[in-house]
Amino acid sequence: MHRSPIPLGLFKHLAKWLILACGVAILAGSAAALFLFSLSWVSNTFSSHPWLLWLLPFAGFFVGWMYLRFGQSVEAGNNLLLDEIHDTKRVIPLRMVPLVLGGTLISHLFGASVGREGTAVQMGGALADQLTRVFKLSNDDRRILLMAGISAGFASVFGTPIGAAVFGLEVLATGRLRYEALLPCIIAAIVGDQVALMWGVHHDYFTVAIFPSISAWSLGVMIVCGAIFGLTARAFAEVIHSISSFMKHRIHYSPLRPFVGGLLIAVLVGLGLFEADRYLGLGIPVILEAFDAPLSITDSIGKFFFTVLSLGAGFKGGEVTPLFFIGATLGNALSPLFDMPFAFLAGIGFVAVFAGAANTPLASTLMAMELFGAEIGVFAATACIVSYLFSGHSGIYGSQRIGDGKHLPTEEGLKLNELRERRKQRPPSP
């Protein structure tokens, strides 16, 4: 009997995931477009009316109350998506979409220093999960669908589909990739980005015009800077978790936590100790500035402080764009020390701090090549991998699992927040 060299099941597999991934991409890309247009409006409104900052405590209280009243089941945000991929229990409630969308827009309207990727990823994952019921998917297929939703949401916001596809695979566990989801993630990321562009979304573009030659010196600089970026990423994640833990132990009524955080931000800015227009909100103008002119290291410190305070207090949004800000301005400030072009080192910091904080060195390297060109690939890969190593077993996503230990044996399958709690309970060395 003659047998076809290509099994019929392969065509069915391709057709199934082409349909599902495109469906996810259309939903995620459209939701991201709505979010980005709305975010542009609220950001411009805050820039035109800086007095809105004094209402930030009340905005934080309202967002906290909304989640307490209607969103306790989805408050974990990105960590809920990761938990459901690892251990499927129930379809993510659709209410996650309006809650995270509204919460993020309110946070930005009144000046909180938060990002945007968390919102897009959560909307993409929640919308993707609704197809689970429609198509009666198995648990294994549902996991893949959620990963595709993460990739589609990330790509729609940043315009880096290849990096976004790998991010959806890489963010689940350190040192592991889920290749069974590669096709759905790449389709969802590419189509999701195109859908957002069709709606009229314009992504931010950054230019690196001068690249150093590959040499022992330039690669050595990447190793040293990668270590600095990794330690910065580790500090960022640990401080956010510490502030959040402190708030939860000291303030039991959850809406009061962002109220207190917002009040502290408003008072500090009101005292004139910091430049609100540089460190609040997304900070895209300052990121662009990091590629055009030398900056002071105070920019990265200021953004670090206001972001960890905003996110630790409970404001909604994300960590990635603030990490881009911190990394780009830090790289810019370090460039004179190593006699490197400031735009080049800003681009390296842009992706390497994110690589360490999210434990996604491959996705970050691909993102660098999509944003700045293939010439940066060798340098970005070196810095991102070293940053990943130096950030240790910490990260911005507490439900991220440990796959393979980075440089020391670590219990496989443990969540990062579980490892953090074990460290706290460990008795001090004699």
Side-chain angles (χ1 to χ4, degrees), residues 228-242 304 308 357 390-391 394:
I228 295 172
F229 296 142
L231 293 173
T232 301
R234 181 171 186 167
F236 181 88
E238 294 295 339
V239 173
I240 286 180
H241 295 310
S242 296
F304 184 106
V308 297
F390 270 80
S391 68
S394 64

Side-chain angles (χ1 to χ4, degrees), residues 146-374:
L146 284 170
M147 295 164 69
I150 290 173
S151 296
F154 197 96
S156 302
V157 168
F158 294 116
T160 55
I162 307 301
V166 176
F167 176 80
L169 305 173
E170 195 176 20
V171 74
L172 303 180
T174 63
R176 297 285 178 84
L177 287 177
R178 298 282 296 271
Y179 282 102
E180 72 272 20
L182 181 57
L183 176 67
C185 284
I186 192 66
I187 293 172
I190 293 172
V191 177
D193 179 42
Q194 291 300 309
V195 168
L197 294 175
M198 288 174 61
W199 281 113
V201 167
H202 296 284
H203 297 299
D204 301 305
Y205 293 99
F206 312 94
T207 302
V208 177
I210 303 174
F211 297 91
S213 58
I214 298 176
S215 64
W217 168 252
S218 61
L219 293 179
V221 170
M222 292 301 99
I223 293 173
V224 173
C225 289
I228 295 172
F229 296 142
L231 293 173
T232 301
R234 181 171 186 167
F236 181 88
E238 294 295 339
V239 173
I240 286 180
H241 295 310
S242 296
I243 292 176
S244 178
S245 178
F246 176 82
M247 287 279 197
K248 290 177 180 178
H249 281 92
R250 297 287 182 175
I251 304 174
H252 298 293
Y253 186 54
S254 58
L256 282 178
R257 296 168 199 154
F259 178 89
V260 172
L263 182 62
L264 181 56
I265 291 171
V267 169
L268 290 173
V269 173
L271 291 174
L273 301 178
F274 301 92
E275 299 180 65
D277 60 332
R278 295 185 72 78
Y279 307 136
L280 302 182
L282 280 177
I284 296 297
V286 182
I287 298 177
L288 292 169
E289 192 178 337
F291 290 86
D292 291 331
L295 298 177
S296 168
I297 198 170
T298 55
D299 283 323
S300 57
I301 295 173
K303 188 62 173 178
F304 184 106
F305 174 80
F306 280 108
T307 303
V308 297
L309 182 55
S310 297
L311 292 172
F315 285 96
K316 302 302 176 183
E319 301 90 350
V320 174
T321 303
L323 286 168
F324 289 162
F325 183 119
I326 294 167
T329 53
L330 178 57
N332 181 297
L334 290 173
S335 59
L337 299 178
F338 300 101
D339 193 28
M340 287 285 174
F342 61 82
F344 165 75
L345 210 50
I348 296 296
F350 185 101
V351 294
V353 173
F354 168 57
N359 293 305
T360 54
L362 296 181
S364 301
T365 300
L366 291 169
M367 177 180 287
M369 297 172 70
E370 289 180 286
L371 290 172
F372 310 122

